[in-house]
Amino acid sequence: MSRQLSTVALQVMWNRLVSVVEEQAQALVRTAFSTSVREAGDLSAGVYDRQGRMLAQAVTGTPGHVNAMADAVPHFIRRIGIDNIFEGDVYITNDPWEGTGHLHDITVVTPSFHRGEFVGFFACTAHIVDIGGRGFGADANSVYEEGLYIPIMKLMERGALDQTLIHIVRGNVREPDQLVGDIHALATCNEIGHRRLVDMMQEFDLATLEEIASFILENSRRATLERINALPKRSAHGEMRIDGFSRPIDLKVRVDFEQDHILCDFEGTSGLDRKGINVPMVYTKAYACYALKCAIAPEIPNNAASLVPFEVVAPVNSIVNAVHPAPVALRHVIGHMVPDTVYAALDKILPDTVPAEGAGTLCNFQVSLRPRTDDISDPDDIAARASARRSEVLTFNSGGSGARPTQDGMNATAFPSGVMTMPIEATEHTGPVIIWRKELRPDSGGEGKYRGGLGQYMEVGAVEGHEFDFQAMFDRVDHPARGRQGGGNGAPTVIHQDDGTPMQGKGKQFVPHGRRVMLAFPGGAGYGKVEERDPALVRRDLARGYISADMCRQRYGFSQADIDAVLEAVRCGEEIQ
C-alpha cells in the first residue's frame, strides 16, 4: 500500500530538487575546460520527470539555455525511443532546433534510474569555444558552414563511451582537448545530479518522482495562472530597431493578456538575414518567456508548468523563427533583444514595472591567433614568430543594463542573459592574447531620474609574434539603447583599431601584427525625466567617475561651482554618499 506524502514533505523535496540541480551546475563550473563555462557561467542544468517535463532548474545558468532546454528533453525521448533508454546511457546533441539554438551549445541528457527503474532525466548545456566550420561568428551563409553537427544520439550506451563519435569530434574542431573535456564534464555533472537525487529518494523512501512532479507542476501552474488572471485584459505593441549584419533589423511584437495565458506574436518582424544572426524559435521562446516571467511572476520557480501559460508565435522564416538550414551561430545577438522588445509593449499595459532598454546582447568576441605572416628580417621578430602558436580565445563581456523604475541600471551587467563578465586573467591564461585595458566607460549610461548602467572600455592585442582574426559579435553601433518614460539613450558601441582603422560590429576581421582593437561597449538607457533625478545621486556619480564634469553640467544642470565642490571633496578624501 503506497503512502501519501504530506504537503510539508513535498515542499521540502521541491526545495531539495532545486539544491540538487544547483550542485549539478556547480559541478559543471568546477570541471569544465572552457572559460565560457568556468568563468562566465554560460550553462544550464535541470531535472525532468519521465515525460521530459522540467521539474527544477539551477539558479546558475542562462534563460536562453534553461528555457530552451525545457523543450529539448522531449526531443531526446522521441529520437532515442522510450524502449531504447537503458541504465548507464548518456545522450548528446548540438542541434540548434532541438537543442538550444546554435551548434556552439552542447546539450547532454542522462536518464536516471533508481532501484533498477527509470524515474526521470538530468540535462545540462554548455557553450563551447569551438565546433569547427567557420568558427564562432556571423559569416556563414547556412548552418552547414557553421561547424560540426551532432544529431540526438547516444554518447554512452549502458556505460560504454562511443569512441567513434569522440574521434569524429576531435577531428573536426580547433580545440579538441577543450571540447572533449567539456563533453565529459557535462556527462559528469548529470551523474552528480543523479547521485543526489537517489540520496533524496532513499531518504524519503520514494520509488518514483510522480507524486513530487504532480505537486510541483500543479502548484506552479496554478500560481502562474493566478498572476495572469489578476492582470488587465489588454493588448499592446512593442518594437525595436537594431543593427543587424548588413542592414537594420526590426523586431515587432504584440502582447495579449488573456484569461488563462499571455500571447507574444512577432508578426511584422524582419525576415531572415543571409548571415548567421538568425534565431530558431526555441531561443526566441526562451527569452520571450523569461521577459514575461520576470515582469509578472518572478517569485514562482521556473519549470515546465510555470512556462506553459506563455505562448510565443512568429512567422516562419522571420529572423526570430529561422528554420533549417538558416545560419544561426550568433542567434544570441538578436535573441537577447527580445526581452526589451516585449518590455516596450508591457510598459504600455503595466507602467512603472519594466526597465529601460539596456545593451541587450552580450559584448562577446573571439580572437583566432596564429604566427604572424608578414615579411620580417629582424632576428628577434623571427624568434618571436617561431615561438608563436595557434589559439582560440573567447571572452564574454557586457554593456550596461537599463535603468529600472526605482533604481539605476547595473554597470557592465548582462541582461537578459545573466552570464558573468570574464576576468582578464582568465582570458589571457587561455591563449597569447593581451587585454591592455578594461574599465568602466564614463557617461555611457543614459540620463534620467534613474541612470542607465555603464558600459566598458576594452583594448585587445596579441603577444609579440602573433597576428589574429577578430570575430566581432556586437550590436548597438547604430541603434543605442532607448530611454523609457523620458529617460535618455545609452551610448552606442564603438569599435576600431588603434591606428583609427574602422571595424564592423559583426564579422571576422583581420588585425595585423602589432595592432590593437579598441572597444567601447554600450551603456544602458535612463528611466524617467532627468529633472527628477536626486542631486545627491548626481554628485555621487561625479565623485565615482561614472559621469564627467561636462555631462554633469550639460545633462544634469549643475553649476561649475557645484562640480568643483564635489571634485575638491574627492581630492580631500571625503566620501560622497
Side-chain angles (χ1 to χ4, degrees):
M1 181 177 177
S2 62
R3 61 190 178 87
Q4 187 171 8
L5 296 166
S6 69
T7 300
V8 172
L10 289 167
Q11 185 63 55
V12 168
M13 282 186 277
W14 188 353
N15 294 341
R16 183 77 160 270
L17 281 180
V18 175
S19 298
V20 165
V21 291
E22 182 58 26
E23 184 174 349
Q24 175 195 359
Q26 291 302 322
L28 180 56
V29 170
R30 291 193 299 271
T31 58
F33 282 48
S34 296
T35 51
S36 54
V37 180
R38 289 188 287 106
E39 303 294 341
D42 196 13
L43 60 98
S44 64
V47 60
Y48 301 72
D49 68 5
R50 285 171 52 95
Q51 289 78 43
R53 297 176 297 182
M54 185 172 71
L55 302 181
Q57 68 158 94
V59 175
T60 301
T62 76
H65 281 160
V66 74
N67 285 355
M69 203 170 69
D71 288 340
V73 174
H75 290 303
F76 279 82
I77 298 173
R78 176 171 55 87
R79 296 288 188 187
I80 299 295
I82 197 69
D83 296 330
N84 196 28
I85 293 175
F86 307 120
E87 193 165 2
D89 281 2
V90 179
Y91 314 128
I92 187 171
T93 195
N94 68 342
D95 186 304
W97 290 272
E98 296 187 351
T100 58
H102 66 177
L103 296 176
H104 281 77
D105 285 344
I106 289 184
T107 298
V108 170
V109 174
T110 304
S112 186
F113 285 74
H114 178 49
R115 297 172 184 167
E117 295 296 324
F118 168 47
V119 295
F121 296 94
F122 281 90
C124 54
T125 297
H127 180 97
I128 47 90
V129 169
D130 183 71
I131 197 66
R134 285 178 173 263
F136 188 33
D139 299 289
N141 299 295
S142 79
V143 72
Y144 296 114
E145 301 176 29
E146 293 184 324
L148 178 66
Y149 165 66
I150 305 171
I152 291 177
M153 61 182 296
K154 291 192 176 186
L155 173 66
M156 302 178 73
E157 183 168 35
R158 302 180 193 265
L161 180 66
D162 187 334
Q163 295 290 352
T164 300
L165 173 61
I166 297 299
H167 288 316
I168 291 172
V169 168
R170 294 189 66 90
N172 281 276
V173 303
R174 297 172 180 85
E175 299 283 350
D177 291 340
Q178 279 195 49
L179 178 50
V180 173
D182 285 338
I183 289 173
H184 285 295
L186 287 160
T188 299
C189 87
N190 281 353
E191 175 63 22
I192 295 296
H194 162 71
R195 293 176 190 174
R196 298 297 177 262
L197 176 66
V198 168
D199 290 344
M200 187 193 83
M201 295 181 74
Q202 290 175 340
E203 180 180 337
F204 289 94
D205 193 25
L206 299 179
T208 73
L209 295 178
E210 291 181 7
E211 191 170 354
I212 179 63
S214 296
F215 178 80
I216 291 171
L217 298 175
E218 177 55 32
N219 279 279
S220 299
R221 184 191 69 83
R222 184 173 61 251
T224 305
L225 288 177
E226 286 175 357
R227 294 291 181 86
I228 292 174
N229 289 338
L231 298 171
K233 303 303 176 282
R234 292 179 53 194
S235 297
H237 289 81
E239 60 183 55
M240 181 193 302
R241 173 163 284 192
I242 51 180
D243 298 349
F245 188 89
S246 57
R247 58 183 174 82
I249 298 297
D250 289 313
L251 301 179
K252 297 184 178 182
V253 67
R254 188 189 78 246
V255 177
D256 297 336
F257 285 7
E258 305 291 351
Q259 188 66 32
D260 58 353
H261 71 281
I262 297 175
L263 172 67
C264 285
D265 187 342
F266 285 87
E267 180 72 37
T269 292
S270 294
L272 288 181
D273 197 274
R274 62 185 180 85
K275 293 296 185 178
I277 59 173
N278 301 293
V279 191
M281 188 65 193
V282 65
Y283 199 76
T284 298
K285 179 182 176 183
Y287 273 106
C289 289
Y290 176 69
L292 292 170
K293 207 163 181 310
C294 285
I296 294 164
E299 301 90 1
I300 300 172
N302 206 45
N303 53 56
S306 61
L307 293 173
V308 165
F310 304 120
E311 182 181 351
V312 182
V313 298
V316 173
N317 278 330
S318 62
I319 199 167
V320 292
N321 188 6
V323 299
H324 188 274
V328 293
L330 297 193
R331 72 356 180 182
H332 68 279
V333 173
I334 305 299
H336 289 176
M337 301 295 189
V338 164
D340 276 338
T341 308
V342 171
Y343 285 163
L346 286 188
D347 188 56
K348 299 171 184 176
I349 306 175
L350 303 173
D352 302 321
T353 300
V354 300
E357 291 181 7
T361 189
L362 289 165
C363 301
N364 295 354
F365 58 86
Q366 185 150 334
V367 180
S368 301
L369 302 113
R370 58 180 175 269
R372 59 187 292 190
T373 57
D374 53 329
D375 294 330
I376 52 177
S377 58
D378 187 284
D380 291 336
D381 290 340
I382 294 172
R385 180 166 67 183
S387 64
R389 60 190 174 92
R390 289 184 174 271
S391 183
E392 296 291 324
V393 177
L394 172 63
T395 179
F396 281 50
N397 307 284
S398 307
S401 67
R404 294 157 286 181
T406 59
Q407 291 182 336
D408 289 346
M410 293 176 285
N411 300 331
T413 299
F415 176 85
S417 69
V419 301
M420 293 173 282
T421 291
M422 289 168 53
I424 289 172
E425 295 82 0
T427 300
E428 294 183 337
H429 179 72
T430 61
V433 66
I434 300 177
I435 309 298
W436 293 98
R437 180 189 189 194
K438 186 175 185 181
E439 61 188 53
L440 291 177
R441 180 186 179 187
D443 293 346
S444 56
E447 70 274 12
K449 181 179 181 180
Y450 297 102
R451 173 187 45 76
L454 303 184
Q456 302 176 73
Y457 284 120
M458 286 190 74
E459 188 174 334
V460 184
V463 171
E464 187 71 22
H466 292 83
E467 62 188 23
F468 59 92
D469 289 326
F470 186 90
Q471 190 63 267
M473 313 177 193
F474 311 125
D475 209 279
R476 299 288 192 203
V477 175
D478 299 316
H479 300 87
R482 300 174 300 178
R484 207 177 304 283
Q485 301 295 334
N489 293 346
T493 302
V494 179
I495 174 174
H496 57 83
Q497 292 185 28
D498 57 346
D499 64 352
T501 301
M503 297 181 70
Q504 300 299 314
K506 297 180 182 68
K508 181 179 288 187
Q509 297 155 82
F510 175 66
V511 180
H513 174 263
R515 294 267 63 86
R516 301 178 186 179
V517 179
M518 315 296 286
L519 299 161
F521 297 144
Y527 192 103
K529 296 178 180 178
V530 66
E531 305 84 50
E532 298 177 2
R533 186 159 179 79
D534 186 341
L537 296 179
V538 180
R539 287 192 289 271
R540 181 206 64 184
D541 284 353
L542 178 63
R544 292 178 178 179
Y546 290 173
I547 60 175
S548 65
D550 285 345
M551 188 172 192
C552 194
R553 181 171 48 251
Q554 296 170 11
R555 302 286 182 88
Y556 292 99
F558 270 47
S559 68
Q560 189 60 48
D562 290 334
I563 294 170
D564 291 342
V566 172
L567 297 179
E568 180 61 25
V570 171
R571 281 191 291 270
C572 294
E574 298 178 18
E575 185 174 352
I576 307 296
Q577 298 295 330

